[in-house]
Amino acid sequence: LPDSEPKLIAGIRRRAAHTRSRARVSRVVAGIGDDCAVLRLPAGHQALVTTDLSVEGVHFRRDWHPPDSVGHRCLARGLSDIAAMGGDPVAAFVSLALPADLPQSWVDKFFSGLLKLGSSFRVPLAGGDVAESPSGVCTDIVLVGSVPAGKALLRSGARPGDGIYVTGELGRSAAILHGLSNGRKPAPRAAENRPHFFPTPRLEAGRALRGIASAAIDISDGFSSDLAHICHESGVDALVHEHSLPRGVHGFDSSSLHFALHGGEDYELLFTAPPKARVPARIGKLRITRVGEIIRRTRPRKSRDSDPRLFLADSHGQRKELTPRGWEHFSAGG
Amino acid sequence: LPDSEPKLIAGIRRRAAHTRSRARVSRVVAGIGDDCAVLRLPAGHQALVTTDLSVEGVHFRRDWHPPDSVGHRCLARGLSDIAAMGGDPVAAFVSLALPADLPQSWVDKFFSGLLKLGSSFRVPLAGGDVAESPSGVCTDIVLVGSVPAGKALLRSGARPGDGIYVTGELGRSAAILHGLSNGRKPAPRAAENRPHFFPTPRLEAGRALRGIASAAIDISDGFSSDLAHICHESGVDALVHEHSLPRGVHGFDSSSLHFALHGGEDYELLFTAPPKARVPARIGKLRITRVGEIIRRTRPRKSRDSDPRLFLADSHGQRKELTPRGWEHFSAGG
């Protein structure tokens, strides 16, 4: 970390040291204050690394999201990627480009949210960088995790006949975002709004799925897009049963199916498992729902680079094609 | 990587796959295209992690720095941190926040510069993220490296009596930046300007110093600031011999000493070594120069949080206090 913002950095260091001391077994040999952090990974494990940008006006808005929510969501994005690989988080790093006129209290609360989530999963903050931003807050979260060698849950392992499953419920985060963009003011700390403002990364579920799931991804872009990612990497197509989807929005409005299919930022896990796999009905308190199955590619082999196809079956068994709609981050204008 | 910029990402993927295939022994088990990269670290090694922001208007200017120089400098910052720990780079990750109106050709050349440097050190690009920036390019480079357990060169190991050394020459990069801010147009590809536009991270030197150096840092903020970092982390003071400093600027103007002492972005290594250590005169073609020695703290022990003190001795042995002057990144206004 540079010394351009000594006060800020001293504060981060202090807070980071605090989370580190609470970590069960610290894997951080040297953290903030050297050129690199030095991490000790468990023997026989591979390292997992993921980076995720959160840009003001694209991933959050300061007038919609309280600073501790922005910090929480920033770290949750990275932890969710570790969960999707079946990994254990080892350490987090955060780079911050901050406007010169940003109040110190915003930064303090950002770190409160980030470090509180870190503490609850015993993930220390081991470094990062700070610079001045010409406009708007830009954060980049880096998560390093570990997974027993060869046991990572990849996107590429889905095979025809595998079941498709999701954890939890889908669509609530997108519904709340939709409300925000329509002028509603959902209370960030209310239990029903936490899936958007304070989502829980599914680390326990990810770990439990090692050796069970054939492929996995976290639902950040939206169910349809993320299922398409699995199909693309695995070279397969998919059939989804509309009535099976665990909708997070009930009687909210008629768009609950739309939010469940295409809404983003659920941070639930989407995974596949072979027919004989013993997929639990719950992992801890988290419900697991079977929502469809992987099918053979329906397009000819030759068109190797073409997109995979997703199908949606209604309760009468009628199939229609499901077009993956990537979650469009809201634009700065709303 | 999200799919919001499919063409860009396909391009990065292709180029990254190319660098990966050229890596001697790929430590990247899974790279771009999954939730996380999976890395294989050598047995008995610890992981090194560093993140560095490069913000347009703060760390570079599009009208001063060609895009391949921006990409090269971005990766060089991270590699230099790995060098300063005595480590071996394993993989790089880059997150990019890009303005919507940025030409594709700029992005292509940015990656050309970044991947060319990566290739020359056999460091694959294993992932990252892309998002739209409301204004200006913002990049965050993440380097993962490895170092034999317990052998990392920390900032905290300097002891009174240790010699202070630097690699290469100091001050050229800052002198070129100074020229740029005064309207000069140095040719980026000319050999004498490469220390600023295309600096070489000192990875070979860092590795060679394992078991020799007692502390190390890379000179990014400037010699005086970075020496103060070592002194701060080690709880010592330092004496520097003015005439010993290997100045990178000769007959350029009278400020060559100023640039050598306080100029930033040299990306040379600054290290200390015990009196009995066998410090080579060169590592490969790179000259190593002894520039001073570590001395006991001159301030009373009580003032534990106070800054360390640096002294500069002239050729007559006269000492004066040397105030570390952190390299001030140029402001957006110039």
Side-chain angles (χ1 to χ4, degrees):
Chain A
L1 288 157
D3 277 0
S4 45
E5 312 230 15
K7 194 183 137 195
L8 171 64
I9 286 159
I12 298 173
R13 226 194 235 237
R14 229 176 8 250
R15 286 149 162 277
H18 179 67
T19 45
R20 206 148 61 235
S21 69
R22 290 185 56 182
R24 220 171 328 199
V25 181
S26 180
R27 305 211 161 273
V28 182
V29 181
I32 298 171
D34 221 304
D35 297 281
C36 295
V38 184
L39 306 178
R40 195 189 291 120
L41 295 184
H45 280 230
Q46 291 170 329
L48 302 173
V49 185
T50 175
T51 78
D52 287 283
L53 287 166
S54 297
V55 178
E56 183 177 347
V58 180
H59 300 92
F60 67 91
R61 279 176 54 162
R62 266 193 272 164
D63 54 340
W64 289 356
H65 298 93
D68 59 335
S69 163
V70 178
H72 178 111
R73 285 158 48 96
C74 169
L75 180 59
R77 292 184 68 187
L79 289 174
S80 185
D81 283 327
I82 298 288
M85 305 296 284
D88 294 295
V90 170
F93 301 79
V94 66
S95 291
L96 295 170
L98 305 173
D101 62 354
L102 191 73
Q104 177 69 37
S105 63
W106 194 95
V107 181
D108 288 344
K109 285 172 191 159
F110 170 89
F111 274 103
S112 291
L114 188 150
L115 293 173
K116 191 174 172 189
L117 178 63
S119 270
S120 74
F121 285 103
R122 298 177 186 253
V123 183
L125 181 67
D129 196 4
V130 180
E132 191 178 316
S133 161
S135 92
V137 173
C138 178
T139 77
D140 192 32
I141 188 85
V142 179
L143 257 292
V144 177
S146 73
V147 68
K151 300 293 182 195
L153 305 178
L154 303 180
R155 295 180 182 177
S156 53
R159 299 291 171 261
D162 286 2
I164 302 171
Y165 302 82
V166 295
T167 62
E169 298 182 330
L170 307 180
R172 175 149 285 277
S173 178
I176 293 163
L177 184 63
H178 182 74
L180 281 164
S181 69
N182 283 304
R184 269 179 236 148
K185 305 255 179 244
R189 266 153 256 279
E192 70 271 20
N193 296 326
R194 291 187 66 88
H196 179 72
F197 292 102
F198 298 95
T200 303
R202 301 308 189 188
L203 287 159
E204 189 191 349
R207 268 191 297 262
L209 292 170
R210 289 202 302 241
I212 295 176
S214 51
I217 192 171
D218 71 318
I219 305 179
S220 52
D221 292 341
F223 172 83
S224 62
S225 292
D226 290 315
L227 180 56
H229 291 319
I230 282 191
C231 290
H232 180 83
E233 296 295 333
S234 299
V236 295
D237 286 356
L239 174 65
V240 176
H241 303 290
E242 186 182 306
H243 64 279
S244 309
L245 283 168
R247 301 186 198 178
V249 185
H250 308 282
F252 190 81
D253 60 26
S254 63
S255 48
S256 69
L257 179 64
H258 178 86
F259 288 135
L261 282 173
H262 308 296
E265 298 196 313
D266 288 307
Y267 299 121
E268 297 293 348
L269 298 184
L270 163 59
F271 64 96
T272 62
K276 289 185 180 171
R278 299 187 132 198
V279 178
R282 291 179 178 276
I283 296 173
K285 291 179 182 173
L286 188 66
R287 194 157 57 112
I288 309 294
T289 308
R290 182 177 169 128
V291 298
E293 48 271 346
I294 295 295
I295 57 176
R296 234 168 268 286
R297 288 196 59 131
T298 53
R299 286 206 176 93
R301 282 207 156 228
K302 270 189 191 173
S303 55
R304 213 177 149 250
D305 288 322
S306 68
D307 292 334
R309 293 171 83 189
L310 311 181
F311 300 93
L312 190 66
D314 66 18
S315 50
H316 307 292
Q318 281 288 99
R319 291 186 188 191
K320 59 181 178 189
E321 192 144 354
L322 172 64
T323 307
R325 271 186 258 176
W327 185 64
E328 302 287 328
H329 296 291
F330 51 90
S331 70
Chain B
L1 288 159
D3 277 1
S4 45
E5 313 230 16
K7 194 182 139 198
L8 171 64
I9 287 161
I12 297 173
R13 227 193 233 243
R14 232 179 2 254
R15 284 149 164 275
H18 179 67
T19 46
R20 207 150 58 236
S21 69
R22 289 186 55 183
R24 220 173 324 201
V25 180
S26 180
R27 304 209 161 274
V28 182
V29 180
I32 296 171
D34 221 303
D35 297 281
C36 295
V38 184
L39 306 177
R40 196 189 291 117
L41 296 185
H45 280 229
Q46 292 170 329
L48 302 173
V49 184
T50 175
T51 78
D52 287 283
L53 288 165
S54 296
V55 178
E56 183 177 348
V58 179
H59 301 92
F60 66 90
R61 278 175 55 160
R62 266 194 273 165
D63 54 339
W64 289 356
H65 298 93
D68 60 335
S69 163
V70 178
H72 178 111
R73 286 159 47 97
C74 169
L75 181 59
R77 291 185 69 189
L79 289 174
S80 185
D81 283 326
I82 298 287
M85 303 295 285
D88 294 296
V90 169
F93 301 79
V94 67
S95 291
L96 296 169
L98 305 172
D101 62 354
L102 190 74
Q104 179 70 37
S105 64
W106 194 94
V107 181
D108 289 344
K109 285 173 191 157
F110 170 90
F111 274 103
S112 292
L114 189 150
L115 293 173
K116 190 173 174 192
L117 178 62
S119 272
S120 74
F121 285 103
R122 299 177 186 252
V123 183
L125 181 66
D129 197 4
V130 181
E132 191 178 316
S133 160
S135 91
V137 174
C138 177
T139 77
D140 192 32
I141 187 87
V142 179
L143 257 293
V144 177
S146 73
V147 68
K151 299 293 182 197
L153 305 177
L154 304 179
R155 294 181 181 175
S156 53
R159 297 291 170 260
D162 287 2
I164 302 170
Y165 302 81
V166 296
T167 62
E169 297 181 331
L170 307 181
R172 175 150 284 280
S173 178
I176 292 161
L177 183 63
H178 182 74
L180 282 163
S181 68
N182 283 304
R184 271 179 232 147
K185 304 254 179 247
R189 268 154 255 278
E192 70 271 22
N193 296 326
R194 292 187 66 86
H196 179 73
F197 292 101
F198 299 96
T200 303
R202 302 308 190 186
L203 286 159
E204 188 191 352
R207 268 191 296 263
L209 290 171
R210 289 202 299 242
I212 295 177
S214 50
I217 192 170
D218 72 316
I219 304 179
S220 52
D221 292 339
F223 172 81
S224 62
S225 292
D226 290 316
L227 179 55
H229 291 319
I230 282 191
C231 290
H232 180 82
E233 297 293 332
S234 300
V236 295
D237 286 355
L239 174 66
V240 175
H241 302 290
E242 186 182 306
H243 64 280
S244 309
L245 283 168
R247 302 187 197 177
V249 185
H250 308 282
F252 190 81
D253 60 27
S254 63
S255 49
S256 70
L257 178 64
H258 178 86
F259 289 134
L261 283 173
H262 308 296
E265 298 194 315
D266 289 305
Y267 299 121
E268 297 294 349
L269 299 184
L270 163 59
F271 64 96
T272 62
K276 289 183 181 169
R278 298 184 133 201
V279 178
R282 289 178 180 276
I283 296 172
K285 290 178 182 172
L286 187 65
R287 192 157 59 110
I288 310 294
T289 309
R290 181 176 171 130
V291 298
E293 49 272 347
I294 295 294
I295 57 176
R296 230 168 271 287
R297 287 195 62 130
T298 54
R299 283 205 179 96
R301 282 204 156 229
K302 271 190 194 173
S303 55
R304 216 176 147 249
D305 288 322
S306 68
D307 292 334
R309 294 171 83 189
L310 311 180
F311 300 93
L312 191 66
D314 65 19
S315 51
H316 307 294
Q318 282 288 98
R319 291 186 187 189
K320 59 180 176 188
E321 192 144 353
L322 172 64
T323 306
R325 273 187 257 176
W327 185 64
E328 302 287 327
H329 297 292
F330 52 90
S331 71

